[in-house]
């Protein structure tokens, strides 16, 4: 039997759907993507995701969008037609520190979280990399000092030959 335990930061997110068929049935036949790697999967992923979340508009003249079939216009999505309705509305979240709950602020929070979800060990990896670079610089300094002062007498001596 399964058991419950407190979640860890590196646990995978459970799917909100029991299976692929249920996900397609709820989303007008479209399988919702796994967004945990979206910021790494797209070029300039964080900016793309922010623009996608905040970019819903009325379609321009000549572009037909069938909202009854679950299509919405977003110029940042390839093709301009997307099956996901606008998810963020002003005032939808109440921040404890009094930050204004705007679409832009919420999109920034979602984007930052998904960037972290794509690489949860990013900060630790950078910290370790910086420590390694400092250690290599110190080792290079010691090596340079050793070479200069230990080998200098041997390199500067004059050898005279008797003929």
């Amino acid at each position: 039997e399964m058991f419950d335990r407190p979640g860890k930061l590196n646990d995978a997110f459970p799917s909100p759907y029991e299976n692929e068929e249920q996900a397609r049935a709820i989303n007008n036949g479209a399988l919702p993507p796994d967004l945990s790697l979206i910021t790494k999967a797209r070029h300039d992923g964080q900016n793309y995701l922010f623009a996608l979340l905040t970019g819903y508009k009325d379609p321009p003249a000549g572009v037909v969008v069938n909202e009854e079939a679950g299509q919405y216009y977003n110029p940042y999505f390839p093709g301009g037609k997307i099956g996901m309705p606008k998810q963020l509305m002003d005032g939808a979240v109440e921040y404890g520190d009094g930050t204004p709950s705007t679409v832009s602020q919420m999109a920034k929070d979602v984007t930052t979280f998904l960037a972290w979800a794509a690489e949860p060990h990013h900060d630790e990896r950078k910290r370790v990399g910086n420590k390694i670079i400092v250690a290599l610089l110190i080792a290079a300094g010691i090596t340079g000092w050793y070479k200069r002062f230990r080998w200098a007498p041997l390199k500067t001596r004059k050898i005279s030959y008797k003929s």
Side-chain angles (χ1 to χ4, degrees):
E1 277 190 41
M2 291 300 297
F3 56 91
D4 289 333
R5 64 167 174 75
K8 296 180 181 175
L9 287 177
N10 59 350
D11 284 346
F13 284 101
S15 175
Y17 310 106
E18 291 182 17
N19 53 39
E20 184 177 321
E21 290 78 25
Q22 182 189 28
R24 287 185 186 277
I26 292 173
N27 292 289
N28 297 323
L31 182 64
D34 175 14
L35 293 178
S36 63
L37 296 174
I38 191 71
T39 58
K40 292 184 65 68
R42 298 278 182 154
H43 173 71
D44 203 14
Q46 290 187 38
N47 289 332
Y48 165 77
L49 185 58
F50 182 84
L52 185 69
L53 290 172
T54 59
Y56 286 89
K57 299 177 179 171
D58 292 329
V63 176
V64 178
V65 176
N66 189 355
E67 289 189 22
E68 288 81 30
Q71 287 185 338
Y72 303 90
Y73 180 73
N74 191 322
Y76 299 103
F77 189 73
K81 298 175 185 174
I82 187 169
M84 179 178 76
K86 184 175 181 179
Q87 298 293 309
L88 304 176
M89 310 292 174
D90 285 334
V93 176
E94 187 174 317
Y95 290 99
D97 63 353
T99 302
S101 179
T102 62
V103 169
S104 180
Q105 179 63 45
M106 290 183 285
K108 180 177 180 258
D109 292 343
V110 169
T111 301
T112 303
F113 172 75
L114 287 176
W116 173 85
E119 283 192 280
H121 304 292
H122 176 267
D123 294 342
E124 180 62 26
R125 196 173 68 241
K126 295 287 185 178
R127 205 170 303 129
V128 169
N130 285 338
K131 288 179 183 178
I132 290 171
I133 288 173
V134 167
L136 287 174
L137 288 173
I138 291 171
I142 291 172
T143 303
W145 177 85
Y146 177 77
K147 184 244 181 234
R148 180 170 182 144
F149 293 105
R150 179 72 174 159
W151 289 94
L154 296 174
K155 290 179 82 172
T156 58
R157 69 182 176 181
K158 186 173 184 178
I159 298 174
S160 59
Y161 296 99
K162 294 182 182 179
S163 47

